[in-house]
């Protein structure tokens, strides 16, 4: 069974914490996701049951190969969408919230297409300049 959007949020955060600190404790996950530790414990138990991680009460958790693979994919998806938002000119103050709002609602096919588009713009800075020029011209028309 594929992970739910909520499970994805936890796997993404757990993967990131392990990459940053070498471990992910319930309290760290709760703080990062701004939820109660009891909510984290329930989700971690569910992720353990679904074989995304191995959890031992009071000892911590370890991602399984399946959990690592999905966690990395989710972190990469998030980073890609943030970069896409920057390229198209979304104000930095909106990017994180916008990505959080859309990342679970896009198919992997759409993500792949966005990845190609990001690569296209990054391959030639003139393309990015042209996009910015078009946007500025349009904004000037509105004034």
């Amino acid at each position: 069974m594929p992970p739910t959007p909520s499970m994805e949020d936890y796997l993404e955060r757990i993967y990131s914490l392990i990459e940053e600190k070498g471990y992910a404790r319930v309290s760290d996950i709760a703080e990062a996701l701004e939820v109660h530790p009891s909510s984290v414990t329930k989700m971690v138990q569910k992720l353990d049951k679904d074989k995304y991680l191995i959890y031992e009460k009071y000892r911590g958790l370890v991602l399984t190969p399946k959990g690592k693979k999905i966690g990395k994919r989710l972190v990469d998806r998030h980073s890609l969408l943030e970069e896409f938002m920057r390229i198209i000119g979304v104000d930095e103050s909106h990017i994180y919230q916008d990505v959080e709002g859309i990342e679970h609602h896009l198919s992997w096919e759409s993500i792949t297409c966005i990845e190609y588009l990001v690569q296209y713009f990054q391959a030639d800075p003139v393309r990015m300049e042209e996009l910015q020029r078009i946007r500025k011209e349009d904004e000037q028309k509105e004034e």
Side-chain angles (χ1 to χ4, degrees):
M1 177 171 116
T4 64
S6 181
M7 291 166 79
E8 287 184 348
D9 284 338
Y10 277 84
L11 285 168
E12 181 181 352
R13 187 60 59 207
I14 291 166
Y15 180 87
S16 293
L17 284 166
I18 291 172
E19 285 295 300
E20 291 168 24
K21 301 167 86 170
Y23 60 90
R25 297 180 313 212
V26 167
S27 59
D28 298 324
I29 300 164
E31 183 180 333
L33 293 174
E34 298 178 350
V35 296
H36 292 287
S38 59
S39 299
V40 174
T41 299
K42 285 178 191 170
M43 180 58 79
V44 164
Q45 289 169 342
K46 182 171 179 46
L47 291 168
D48 180 85
K49 181 177 156 278
D50 291 347
K51 309 275 191 259
Y52 291 106
L53 55 80
I54 299 166
Y55 174 66
E56 293 182 34
K57 194 173 184 178
Y58 306 119
R59 295 183 53 92
L61 56 93
V62 177
L63 288 171
T64 62
K66 173 183 170 181
K68 281 182 190 174
K69 180 180 176 183
I70 290 175
K72 180 176 181 352
R73 191 172 186 200
L74 296 170
V75 167
D76 291 347
R77 175 183 71 183
H78 191 99
S79 298
L80 172 70
L81 291 172
E82 284 185 348
E83 184 60 24
F84 174 68
M85 293 291 181
R86 285 185 188 96
I87 286 171
I88 63 173
V90 174
D91 186 272
E92 197 67 36
S93 65
H94 296 111
I95 290 176
Y96 181 81
Q97 201 62 38
D98 286 354
V99 169
E100 286 295 311
I102 66 169
E103 67 184 338
H104 301 294
H105 302 287
L106 294 171
S107 68
W108 286 104
E109 179 185 2
S110 294
I111 297 294
T112 299
C113 291
I114 290 170
E115 184 175 23
Y116 292 139
L117 187 61
V118 166
Q119 289 172 3
Y120 171 80
F121 279 105
Q122 289 176 334
D124 186 354
V126 173
R127 295 173 183 155
M128 299 243 282
E129 292 167 11
E130 181 68 10
L131 180 62
Q132 292 168 356
R133 184 190 60 74
I134 292 168
R135 184 173 180 198
K136 282 182 183 167
E137 284 177 4
D138 192 53
E139 288 171 354
Q140 288 172 348
K141 288 178 190 174
E142 292 176 7
E143 291 177 356

